[in-house]
């Protein structure tokens, strides 16, 4: 039990990568708040964890709304008494060539990824500083925190930005024992990626199979998707690492798509 007696909040945890991280953290002994825009799905994910013997609640939260983040964090602390780990994971994807990108969609994507990371970080830091026992903040970056792809201007911009935020949190959090790191997955077969395959096929004028083979997995060492379990294992590593030796870092989990 690598997270016994710890409390974690995972945003965007009603689906995909976040859901798997919540499940894994609960299996390792953490109490987990599943924060998501989709309140019904968040509750369902929490019920599933409780059925497996874990501790979990669903929390309705739009990470771009200051009042909802504050209320959701307060709900987590009220239920479980403290906060040790934040995984800022909620995210969306919108693909379009830059010259046709609607400004409203650019702003929405940056808000979910960057405003969401800021608001949840600020709320978590306030609680962690008050407790005086340190903590771990983990951002869901992407290979797109390091590399660019066509059609993904705001996503690549936001994911690069998270590395900057993590480095500042590492510096400011250090005196309080709060660490901050970024996980940078390659393509993971979740609803976020399933939605993109037909969209990219249309934009690029190629088949869906070609999008998977020649766009998504072309640069990997083995033509394989990264799995939600792979990303959850990396999150557990950061969450359970107990000292400031590992902070301000970004870890790429991508079947060798990107090598540092
Ligand atoms: P997903 O679509 O399966 O899950 C995303 C979750 O975020 C959903 O439950 C959704 O309701 C929630 N969400 C969206 N907007 C929100 C908001 N404003 N407030 C609260 N919750 C919100 O996607 P996923 O693939 O699991 O992605 C999770 C994270 O991993 C994202 O940050 C994504 O950018 C990142 N990521 C995904 C991949 C991939 O290939 N799937 C690769 C690298 C990074």
């Amino acid at each position: 039990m690598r997270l016994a007696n710890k409390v974690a909040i995972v945003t965007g945890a009603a689906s995909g990568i976040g859901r798997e991280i919540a499940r894994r953290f609960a299996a390792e002994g953490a109490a987990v708040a599943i924060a998501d825009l989709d309140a019904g799905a968040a509750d369902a994910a929490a019920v599933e964890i409780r059925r497996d013997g874990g501790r979990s609640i669903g929390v309705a939260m739009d990470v771009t709304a200051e009042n909802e983040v504050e209320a959701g964090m307060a709900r987590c602390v009220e239920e479980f008494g403290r906060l040790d780990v934040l995984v800022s994971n909620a995210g969306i994807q919108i693909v379009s060539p830059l010259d046709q990108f609607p400004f409203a969609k650019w702003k929405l994507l940056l808000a979910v990824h960057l405003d969401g990371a800021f608001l949840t970080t600020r709320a978590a830091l306030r609680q962690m500083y008050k407790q005086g026992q340190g903590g771990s903040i983990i951002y869901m970056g992407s290979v797109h925190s390091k590399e660019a792809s066509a059609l993904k201007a705001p996503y690549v911009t936001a994911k690069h930005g998270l590395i900057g935020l993590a480095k500042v949190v590492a510096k400011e959090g250090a005196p309080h024992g709060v660490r901050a790191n970024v996980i940078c997955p390659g393509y993971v077969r979740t609803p976020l990626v399933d939605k993109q395959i037909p969209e990219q096929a249309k934009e690029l004028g190629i088949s869906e199979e070609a999008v998977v083979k020649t766009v998504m997995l072309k640069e990997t060492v083995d033509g394989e998707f990264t799995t939600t379990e792979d990303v959850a294992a990396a999150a557990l590593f950061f969450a359970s690492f107990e000292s400031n030796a590992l902070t301000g870092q970004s870890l790429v989990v991508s079947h060798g798509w990107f090598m540092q």
Side-chain angles (χ1 to χ4, degrees):
M1 288 289 189
R2 289 157 70 183
L3 296 177
N5 304 318
K6 302 282 189 194
V7 175
I9 187 162
V10 185
T11 69
S15 173
I17 291 171
R19 186 164 182 163
E20 188 60 39
I21 291 172
R23 261 202 295 255
R24 184 75 203 269
F25 280 13
E28 295 286 342
V32 186
I34 297 193
D36 205 284
L37 196 56
D38 185 338
D43 283 339
V47 166
E48 187 187 273
I49 287 175
R50 292 202 296 272
R51 232 181 359 231
D52 292 341
R55 288 185 299 154
S56 186
I57 55 166
V59 174
M61 181 192 289
D62 177 348
V63 296
T64 69
E66 186 174 12
N67 59 336
E68 291 191 28
V69 171
E70 293 295 320
M73 199 65 79
R75 171 84 188 91
C76 170
V77 173
E78 176 193 85
E79 182 72 23
F80 298 126
R82 55 183 293 111
L83 180 70
D84 302 286
V85 182
L86 162 67
V87 184
S88 173
N89 166 81
I92 57 171
Q93 179 62 280
I94 303 168
V95 295
S96 169
L98 251 180
D99 61 317
Q100 291 157 40
F101 226 109
F103 187 33
K105 290 194 169 173
W106 164 274
K107 284 198 280 198
L108 171 66
L109 197 144
L110 291 191
V112 174
H113 291 264
L114 292 180
D115 296 359
F118 162 68
L119 289 170
T120 53
T121 296
R122 191 181 62 177
L125 287 179
R126 286 175 178 163
Q127 180 63 28
M128 288 170 179
Y129 289 177
K130 197 162 74 184
Q131 290 168 191
Q133 293 177 315
S136 176
I137 298 186
I138 300 165
Y139 298 100
M140 199 51 63
S142 163
V143 166
H144 288 116
S145 300
K146 312 264 180 182
E147 283 275 359
S149 288
L151 311 178
K152 296 189 175 173
Y155 190 81
V156 171
T157 303
K159 291 302 192 189
H160 275 67
L162 290 176
I163 290 188
L165 176 62
K167 288 177 179 175
V168 177
V169 176
K171 292 204 169 191
E172 290 191 16
H176 305 271
V178 176
R179 305 169 303 282
N181 294 287
V182 186
I183 302 173
C184 302
Y187 281 100
V188 183
R189 208 70 203 256
T190 67
L192 181 138
V193 161
D194 285 338
K195 177 173 162 284
Q196 279 174 65
I197 296 172
E199 288 172 0
Q200 290 217 35
K202 195 167 158 230
E203 284 291 348
L204 299 170
I206 57 177
S207 71
E208 294 189 15
E209 200 189 5
V211 169
V212 170
K213 282 209 172 118
T214 64
V215 178
M216 295 184 164
L217 303 180
K218 183 170 173 234
E219 302 294 339
T220 61
V221 292
D222 52 11
E224 301 269 348
F225 278 101
T226 300
T227 66
T228 57
E229 289 83 359
D230 294 328
V231 182
L236 178 62
F237 174 66
F238 279 133
S240 59
F241 200 93
E242 290 285 353
S243 85
N244 282 348
L246 186 62
T247 195
Q249 304 304 307
S250 50
L251 180 66
V252 181
V253 185
S254 73
H255 284 257
W257 166 14
F258 178 85
M259 298 193 197
Q260 310 257 21

